Amino acid sequence: MVDFKECFEIYFKNYRQEMKQNWKVRQQNSLENRIFLDLEEEIEELLLAKGIDSEEAKKAFIDPGYDAISIDPFLLTDMDLAVKRTLVAIEKGEKICVYGDYDADGVTASALLLDFFQQIEVETVAYLPDRATEGYGLNKEALEYIKDKEATLIITVDCGVSNSEEVEYAKELGIDSVILDHHHLPENMPKAVAVVDPKRSGDKYPNKDLAGVGVAFKFLQAIAPKVDNYDSAQLKWFLDLVAIGTIADCVDLSTENRMLVKFGLFVLSKTRRVGLHHLFQVGKINIDEKNIPSSYDVSFQIAPRINAAGRMDHANAAQKLLLCNKFQETQARLLALEIEDKNKFRQKVTKEIVEEVFGRVNKNKDRKIIIEASPDWNFGIVGLAAGRVAEAFHRPTILFQNHQKDGEKLMRASCRSIPQFNMVEALERNKELLLKYGGHSQAAGLTLKEDDFAEFQEKMQAEMKNIDDKDLIKEILIDSCIPFERITDKLVDELSLLEPYGAGNKKPVFCCEKLRVSQVRTVGNGDAHLKIQLQKEDGQGKVLDAIGFGIAKQFQKLAEGDIIDLAFNLEMNQWNGNKNPQAMIIDIDTSNA
């Protein structure tokens, strides 16, 4: 997850010069013939920008029925084969191995399947690889362990499509494979019993952006009605896991995923999972039936804790936490405490790596892609660090950890990118240098020999030749420029209709011009945050509170009486029983000051 305080500090320090030129205002629609008279004009404009231009479409977006997540799962290629083979295993009493990934998407996806199989009394083996020693996906040593456990069917979740060789080895061991994945498919697809992946060529499923946990949930929707004496209505209780994994994996929330998350957040507020209740208590996360979480709560409070288990040690702790039942309260509490400690340590280590990389980048700011390496970095953290560096400098970023395996000097990396650069396609074009790779356009991983590192750097620098310098300056996309007086309680309340926010359904960005600063102060640890009060240019009328995290140093010359333009998000600030609109500062243009 991105630490906005640190990102804003670096972002403003290095790239804020003439920033106003990078405010891009989206073209507004005409509201001559208004459609949604019950909504504020700004909300109607935001809906029209999403292509929502009828009452029927508005209802489907704002107040969808459960049918919105009931798209036929058998539209997914090979879903029929996956269900058929699993039903055979259930009927014959075969032992099934659920093999997941160690991130929040993979952990929630594997917990979802294990929970379901436990409910229908199927014997299972749970396997999550160790991030540090095994890496991503299937591996032969793991398959041999699974063979020893007498499993005859492996169902992978959030991994598998890049493991052709390992799937063949599993066959040799007498183990069939069903792959439930959502990642980019390589040229040579594994010859498994079934490969269910919405990104398969020719796949008819309309949502190509399902997370790994989303694909696993569609599998449950497909198989549950075919299992004797199982009430498929109970599947809704899995949506808490679906929401966590979907949000954590940053997939597009403009389609079915938004509905999965919307319903999932509601289920999360009522979750029956003992482990999650203890995670909330230990982490002081305010979620219950009266406090339905937002996607922000999941992104910055729940997902990092689940991820921390696999980053700092082993993801098994997080998986076990999610599977604790009502008779395992003590175990759930101990696991939640363990994960909380790991998360705090993760924050400390991440900060150290990020600061080191920032120092290196500041010595060489001209490169279009950031590639750095160290044998001392924790591999579980380099992905987080790469995300923060990419966010701060708006550059594709690849961070390597040097390590040895079987006496061979290797380097493994986590990659994060920007919208203008498809990372996994770039890796595909240079696969001759790579021992292993996979991922998405914006996030990927790879392993190569240390001797090939220099050539890899050259190749990736060459990949950036078609990226223009202007693409490396982060734009601020403004959804609507609004008059100051239009910022009302009603407008902020109606903005909640557009939630949950995430990739593909970003929180709206507004701007106001010529506002007078009536108060300036710094708050927070080290006075890092900027808190200001704003009025219309004439200094009359209502006051709007605004806060910007981590930007106090960049705007230390801001003074009372200055006239500014503001780019911001809007939210409702609740304090001591009072509710007032609050601007979350994205950028300030002080050219009028």
Side-chain angles (χ1 to χ4, degrees):
M1 294 294 112
V2 175
D3 184 318
F4 283 104
K5 175 190 170 190
E6 292 180 8
C7 286
F8 273 126
E9 285 178 353
I10 294 296
Y11 177 57
F12 281 106
K13 180 179 179 181
N14 291 288
Y15 294 103
R16 201 190 163 276
Q17 295 86 356
E18 303 299 325
M19 183 56 74
K20 183 64 180 291
Q21 67 180 327
N22 297 311
W23 291 18
K24 305 296 182 185
V25 181
R26 178 177 52 78
Q27 185 174 351
Q28 306 294 291
N29 291 288
S30 171
L31 294 180
E32 287 184 15
N33 299 308
R34 290 201 59 192
I35 302 171
F36 311 128
L37 298 177
D38 58 323
L39 298 176
E40 293 287 83
E41 291 183 16
E42 290 79 12
I43 305 300
E44 179 168 1
E45 169 61 35
L46 291 167
L47 289 173
L48 289 173
K50 297 176 184 296
I52 299 168
D53 57 4
S54 69
E55 280 291 339
E56 182 181 7
K58 182 186 80 169
K59 179 174 173 53
F61 185 83
I62 291 174
D63 187 24
Y66 192 76
D67 287 347
I69 60 172
S70 299
I71 301 171
D72 183 1
F74 288 100
L75 291 174
L76 284 157
T77 303
D78 280 5
M79 182 63 85
D80 55 339
L81 299 177
V83 169
K84 182 179 179 180
R85 177 63 185 89
T86 307
L87 288 173
V88 169
I90 294 170
E91 291 164 5
K92 290 185 175 181
E94 296 180 58
K95 189 181 292 186
I96 299 174
C97 174
V98 177
Y99 194 112
D101 186 26
Y102 36 65
D103 68 1
D105 187 16
V107 169
T108 53
S110 58
L112 180 147
L113 288 195
L114 289 165
D115 189 359
F116 173 75
F117 285 135
Q118 286 174 9
Q119 290 180 27
I120 63 174
E121 299 181 345
V122 170
E123 192 173 2
T124 57
V125 175
Y127 198 94
L128 298 174
D130 184 285
R131 183 191 293 263
T133 61
E134 296 176 84
Y136 175 75
L138 296 167
N139 65 80
K140 292 183 178 180
E141 291 79 7
L143 293 172
E144 289 164 1
Y145 169 85
I146 293 163
K147 172 67 175 177
D148 289 342
K149 291 293 182 179
E150 300 181 341
T152 52
L153 173 64
I154 292 176
I155 302 178
T156 72
V157 285
D158 196 31
C159 63
V161 294
S162 60
N163 292 122
S164 295
E165 184 179 337
E166 289 80 8
V167 167
E168 287 300 314
Y169 187 63
K171 281 184 185 178
E172 294 174 15
L173 296 176
I175 304 172
D176 285 340
S177 301
V178 165
I179 294 172
L180 307 179
D181 203 349
H182 71 126
H183 288 96
H184 176 84
L185 276 81
E187 290 180 3
N188 298 317
M189 195 170 67
K191 296 177 181 177
V193 172
V195 178
V196 180
D197 188 324
K199 292 185 175 65
R200 284 187 63 172
S201 176
D203 189 276
K204 296 180 181 179
Y205 197 77
N207 180 10
K208 304 301 180 187
D209 295 304
L210 283 167
V213 71
V215 176
F217 182 70
K218 300 311 292 187
F219 174 74
L220 290 198
Q221 287 186 320
I223 197 171
K226 299 180 182 297
V227 175
D228 292 340
N229 302 317
Y230 187 83
D231 181 7
S232 295
Q234 295 302 306
L235 291 181
K236 66 177 178 289
W237 290 106
F238 289 102
L239 288 171
D240 51 359
L241 297 180
V242 177
I244 293 170
T246 299
I247 292 169
D249 216 51
C250 299
V251 294
D252 192 316
L253 293 190
S254 65
T255 58
E256 179 191 19
N257 293 334
R258 180 174 173 272
M259 302 299 110
L260 289 168
V261 169
K262 189 177 181 72
F263 288 113
L265 291 173
F266 181 73
V267 173
L268 189 58
S269 72
K270 300 172 178 290
T271 185
R272 298 173 173 178
R273 300 185 191 282
V274 173
L276 284 177
H277 284 294
H278 283 284
L279 189 75
F280 300 161
Q281 291 168 13
V282 170
K284 299 179 180 178
I285 304 170
N286 188 25
I287 295 175
D288 55 38
E289 291 191 31
K290 295 180 181 179
N291 296 282
I292 299 174
S294 67
S295 53
Y296 179 93
D297 296 323
V298 174
S299 290
F300 295 98
Q301 297 188 67
I302 301 174
R305 287 174 166 84
I306 292 175
N307 274 322
R311 292 187 188 282
M312 307 312 299
D313 189 1
H314 200 289
N316 282 343
Q319 187 185 75
K320 289 176 182 176
L321 179 82
L322 296 177
L323 292 171
C324 283
N325 59 44
K326 61 183 179 181
F327 303 110
Q328 298 171 307
E329 291 277 358
T330 300
Q331 182 183 7
R333 187 70 176 185
L334 291 173
L335 286 167
L337 289 167
E338 176 187 338
I339 287 171
E340 186 69 18
D341 286 343
K342 284 179 169 51
N343 188 52
K344 289 177 180 176
F345 186 51
R346 185 270 308 170
Q347 291 172 321
K348 175 180 179 292
V349 175
T350 305
K351 188 170 185 283
E352 291 171 352
I353 296 175
V354 168
E355 288 178 348
E356 182 177 346
V357 177
F358 281 171
R360 297 187 192 184
V361 174
N362 282 326
K363 293 177 182 178
N364 181 11
K365 295 180 182 178
D366 296 332
R367 49 185 163 164
K368 290 185 175 182
I369 185 169
I370 297 168
I371 302 176
E372 294 291 345
S374 172
D376 300 323
W377 292 340
N378 183 315
F379 183 65
I381 301 301
V382 293
L384 283 178
R388 294 187 185 179
V389 174
E391 175 74 16
F393 292 96
H394 201 62
R395 300 284 195 280
T397 300
I398 305 176
L399 299 186
F400 281 90
Q401 182 215 40
N402 308 65
H403 75 120
Q404 289 195 25
K405 185 175 182 180
D406 299 328
E408 186 175 23
K409 292 183 178 181
L410 303 176
M411 299 180 72
R412 52 190 177 181
S414 280
C415 318
R416 298 296 183 268
S417 196
I418 59 176
Q420 296 86 349
F421 185 73
N422 189 310
M423 182 65 75
V424 78
E425 288 183 1
L427 297 180
E428 178 84 21
R429 287 190 289 270
N430 295 281
K431 61 185 178 181
E432 71 279 358
L433 292 174
L434 309 179
L435 299 175
K436 198 173 185 179
Y437 72 97
H440 309 289
S441 64
Q442 300 298 287
L446 67 98
T447 301
L448 49 69
K449 294 179 181 178
E450 192 173 299
D451 289 344
D452 292 326
F453 178 60
E455 185 177 356
F456 175 79
Q457 285 182 294
E458 293 176 4
K459 293 279 190 181
M460 294 306 289
Q461 293 287 356
E463 287 284 340
M464 298 295 294
K465 63 183 179 183
N466 294 323
I467 303 297
D468 196 279
D469 287 345
K470 63 180 175 53
D471 293 327
L472 299 176
I473 300 175
K474 189 173 183 178
E475 288 185 344
I476 296 175
L477 300 176
I478 308 292
D479 290 290
S480 181
C481 286
I482 60 174
F484 184 70
E485 58 270 18
R486 293 291 298 171
I487 300 175
T488 63
D489 289 8
K490 186 173 188 291
L491 173 63
V492 180
D493 284 339
E494 288 186 1
L495 281 171
S496 65
L497 299 175
L498 307 181
E499 298 177 2
Y501 297 123
N505 187 43
K506 296 287 189 182
K507 183 178 288 191
V509 177
F510 299 97
C511 73
C512 277
E513 297 181 324
K514 296 184 178 180
L515 301 181
R516 180 176 295 275
V517 178
S518 57
Q519 186 184 95
V520 182
R521 60 192 176 100
T522 57
V523 296
N525 187 22
D527 289 327
H529 314 315
L530 177 69
K531 195 168 179 62
I532 59 178
Q533 289 187 333
L534 300 164
Q535 291 178 286
K536 292 175 65 174
E537 186 176 10
D538 61 9
Q540 302 298 310
K542 69 177 182 181
V543 173
L544 175 69
D545 288 327
I547 187 167
F549 293 105
I551 63 172
K553 289 182 181 178
Q554 284 66 54
F555 295 103
Q556 57 187 339
K557 293 183 180 180
L558 194 67
E560 293 180 12
D562 284 351
I563 305 300
I564 65 169
D565 295 343
L566 187 74
F568 59 97
N569 302 126
L570 269 175
E571 66 174 33
M572 192 66 77
N573 185 35
Q574 301 188 44
W575 181 253
N576 286 338
N578 297 315
K579 290 174 57 178
N580 294 291
Q582 178 174 254
M584 308 301 292
I585 300 170
I586 296 174
D587 192 21
I588 300 173
D589 177 61
T590 58
S591 58
N592 295 317

